[in-house]
Amino acid sequence: MNLVKKLNEASLFVKIVLVFICGHLFFATSMWHLKEFFFENYHAKNIHNTAYNYSSLIIDKIGTPPDTSLARKYADDLHINIRIKTNSFEWANSKTTPHFEDLELKDFHAKFRSKIGFDEGLHVKTERGNIDYLISIQRDEYDFKFYDHLFIIIALSWFTIVLYIMYRVVRKILTPVMQLKEGVDNVSKGIFNNVIETNRTDELGKLINSFNTMNREVREMIKSRDQLLLDVSHELRTPITRVKLALEFMDDSKPKVNIQDDIKEIETMISELLETERLGSKFGGLKKEYVVVNQLLEEVSINFANREPGVVINTKNSYSMNGDPERLKTLFRNIVDNALKYSSNQPKPVEINLTGDSSNIKISIQDFGEGIPETELTHIFEPFYRVDKSRSKETGGYGLGMHLSQKIVEAHGGEIEITSKINNGSNIIITFPI
Ligand code: ADP
């Protein structure tokens, strides 16, 4: 049951390889049995028949009673061994000729009073009257057992080679499946600009082409959504300025203050949206200079000094890069602000870990707060996306912080990832190339 479950869960690749292995084993065992069957029941009988006839002919020539000088001549000419045994004497052509007692002989045919044995050689014992004849076709240079073993070794090696070739072929056939898996993983991370290259024309090739088309269409959709958002933001600026101007002529009152607050909020929203547009433009609108990341993080954490549960920075070295200090500070501010906002009732402070190597700088901002459900993680970087819509008033955000953060990271050629577990906290990992 467990095995069936495990097999069900195994990858397509493992399943195909398993099918090949089982097929191969089945083929090998059936071939083995077939070989046994033919050798035992057909070839072996034929060999025994021939050996019996051959030894009968020689015995006829030697005669009864036997002529040992003729027997020696035949033994020498035919490269065989002959042993003759009667009640009164025993004769053999050579010292190495096997003895009757040493051989394991099977009845060949009761009618002919003949027995046969097959080891390093082929031995036929025949009784004529009260004389026993042994004709041994002893082939010293031809070791039957050795060839039997050699056959097994060659068969196993061949089996392994064939299996390896099949493994490579299956892998090659399934390459598009692996590429598609990678592509789908990217889509689930919100990366839509990956095009899978293929020159395959089979079903898997078609699947890849459909995947590329789907990716392109989704990309276009996102682009037009962002464009619409930016166009609307641009268009809103003029009426907002007009409203602000009109407000100046109003008498001071509660409604006036409320409208002013709302207008301020809309203005912040619009400037954040326009900021993301600038970041997405060809040169990213970045004012890059030499920045020490440790310093920027220090400055940001000082800004939040009076916020619960606090911030600690862990780092062993100083890390610097070429970046826009203001944008980087906005980025860290957004992330740290969120981390504090969503873990304010926790005892453990937010941890900023700064590490790096010769090619990357890695900043992880870990909080131990409420976390984000796994199903929501893919949407976190979308504009106006908030996990709990009702929290908006309490926490004061409108879901643009993470979107802007992602744009800042991308404009610097970096990557931003988020992992989170509900009630365990979230970890935002930013990597910048040096
Ligand atoms: P907001 O201004 O609403 O915080 P953001 O774009 O910064 O907008 O974040 C989007 C949403 O992601 C937030 O509304 C919140 O639900 C979720 N979020 C972001 N960071 C965290 C965090 N550290 N812990 C829990 N939720 C978070």
Side-chain angles (χ1 to χ4, degrees):
M1 193 60 209
N2 217 348
L3 186 73
V4 174
K5 202 172 157 224
K6 273 199 177 133
L7 272 177
N8 252 337
E9 285 165 5
S11 75
L12 184 63
F13 179 66
V14 171
K15 278 179 192 154
I16 291 180
V17 169
L18 272 179
V19 168
F20 270 113
I21 292 178
C22 293
H24 223 98
L25 282 178
F26 174 72
F27 174 75
T29 38
S30 49
M31 284 306 288
W32 184 263
H33 285 295
L34 211 63
K35 174 185 161 274
E36 294 269 292
F37 175 79
F38 271 101
F39 270 94
E40 288 295 318
N41 295 308
Y42 181 71
H43 286 309
K45 247 183 209 151
N46 266 355
I47 291 169
H48 290 182
N49 254 329
T50 314
Y52 172 73
N53 290 334
Y54 180 72
S55 76
S56 295
L57 277 174
I58 294 169
I59 293 166
D60 286 346
K61 296 271 182 211
I62 297 169
T64 321
D67 178 341
T68 50
S69 59
L70 257 179
R72 181 172 303 284
K73 181 179 172 328
Y74 282 119
D76 290 346
D77 288 354
L78 300 171
H79 298 286
I80 56 174
N81 279 325
I82 300 175
R83 182 174 288 279
I84 301 165
K85 192 176 169 188
T86 67
N87 290 338
S88 50
F89 88 104
E90 185 166 344
W91 176 90
N93 70 309
S94 128
K95 276 192 192 118
T96 56
T97 306
H99 288 268
F100 287 99
E101 311 77 54
D102 298 341
L103 294 169
E104 253 183 62
L105 300 170
K106 278 198 287 185
D107 275 335
F108 171 62
H109 208 304
K111 197 172 95 187
F112 302 115
R113 294 175 40 212
S114 180
K115 285 172 183 269
I116 207 147
F118 189 67
D119 48 29
E120 285 81 23
L122 187 61
H123 316 281
V124 184
K125 177 190 168 195
T126 308
E127 286 177 39
R128 291 271 174 95
N130 53 3
I131 309 171
D132 288 347
Y133 293 87
L134 175 71
I135 306 294
S136 262
I137 306 164
Q138 192 79 23
R139 300 286 300 269
D140 289 336
E141 76 278 19
Y142 190 92
D143 183 343
F144 292 109
K145 288 273 184 287
F146 168 75
Y147 281 95
D148 241 13
H149 290 156
L150 190 68
F151 171 76
I152 293 172
I153 291 167
I154 292 176
L156 279 179
S157 317
W158 181 233
F159 176 75
T160 317
I161 293 169
V162 171
L163 201 67
Y164 178 72
I165 295 171
M166 283 191 318
Y167 168 83
R168 301 298 307 182
V169 172
V170 172
R171 233 190 127 78
K172 181 100 188 115
I173 293 173
L174 291 184
T175 313
V177 177
M178 294 173 219
Q179 287 174 308
L180 269 173
K181 190 198 166 289
E182 217 171 282
V184 172
D185 281 350
N186 278 334
V187 168
S188 70
K189 283 185 208 151
I191 305 168
F192 293 98
N193 58 355
N194 58 322
V195 177
I196 305 175
E197 302 285 347
T198 184
N199 47 12
R200 290 272 289 267
T201 49
D202 57 5
E203 288 86 346
L204 288 177
K206 284 180 192 146
L207 189 62
I208 286 192
N209 286 335
S210 307
F211 175 81
N212 284 340
T213 313
M214 181 197 79
N215 239 350
R216 198 176 49 244
E217 278 167 11
V218 173
R219 211 162 53 230
E220 295 291 320
M221 265 164 55
I222 293 175
K223 217 168 133 193
S224 40
R225 181 204 63 184
D226 287 353
Q227 193 55 46
L228 179 75
L229 218 57
L230 294 167
D231 291 346
V232 172
S233 314
H234 265 299
E235 295 307 318
L236 281 176
R237 278 172 129 189
T238 327
I240 282 174
T241 319
R242 275 206 300 269
V243 173
K244 268 169 80 183
L245 204 66
L247 273 176
E248 293 302 318
F249 294 103
M250 265 177 78
D251 294 335
D252 284 345
S253 64
K254 192 143 194 298
K256 180 182 171 179
V257 176
N258 284 347
I259 296 171
Q260 268 173 335
D261 283 351
D262 286 346
I263 291 288
K264 214 167 153 196
E265 205 170 297
I266 297 172
E267 273 192 310
T268 322
M269 221 187 278
I270 289 175
S271 55
E272 280 195 10
L273 276 169
L274 294 178
E275 172 79 354
T276 56
E277 187 203 15
R278 265 195 297 278
L279 286 166
S281 71
K282 201 171 174 202
F283 298 106
L286 295 179
K287 292 188 190 77
K288 280 192 180 176
E289 57 185 75
Y290 173 84
V291 290
V292 180
V293 181
N294 307 49
Q295 239 168 35
L296 297 182
L297 289 171
E298 286 290 343
E299 280 174 38
V300 170
S301 68
I302 286 168
N303 285 345
F304 294 113
N306 53 358
R307 290 264 302 268
E308 290 297 335
V311 181
V312 285
I313 301 177
N314 302 318
T315 183
K316 290 199 175 92
N317 295 311
S318 173
Y319 296 95
S320 54
M321 62 182 272
N322 195 24
D324 181 332
E326 285 315 313
R327 255 58 174 265
L328 289 175
K329 268 199 268 180
T330 308
L331 161 72
F332 298 144
R333 218 180 290 126
N334 279 343
I335 309 283
V336 176
D337 185 29
N338 276 344
L340 288 167
K341 211 166 20 178
Y342 300 108
S343 70
S344 57
N345 52 356
Q346 295 298 319
K348 256 179 139 179
V350 171
E351 274 177 21
I352 303 180
N353 294 303
L354 175 60
T355 51
D357 54 32
S358 55
S359 51
N360 288 308
I361 294 179
K362 195 165 156 185
I363 305 131
S364 108
I365 297 157
Q366 166 88 60
D367 69 67
F368 302 92
E370 59 192 71
I372 303 166
E374 211 183 321
T375 46
E376 310 277 336
L377 282 177
T378 46
H379 304 290
I380 284 299
F381 297 107
E382 289 173 12
F384 298 111
Y385 193 84
R386 310 197 78 252
V387 174
D388 182 356
K389 319 293 182 244
S390 65
R391 272 199 329 234
S392 138
K393 285 277 171 261
E394 277 167 49
T395 47
Y398 28 77
L400 277 175
M402 294 300 276
H403 182 61
L404 179 62
S405 302
Q406 187 190 37
K407 296 282 171 197
I408 296 174
V409 174
E410 282 173 359
H412 282 85
E415 274 176 24
I416 182 164
E417 276 175 72
I418 179 162
T419 57
S420 190
K421 235 183 180 171
I422 209 91
N423 295 329
N424 265 348
S426 310
N427 189 15
I428 284 129
I429 301 153
I430 302 163
T431 320
F432 287 121
I434 297 178

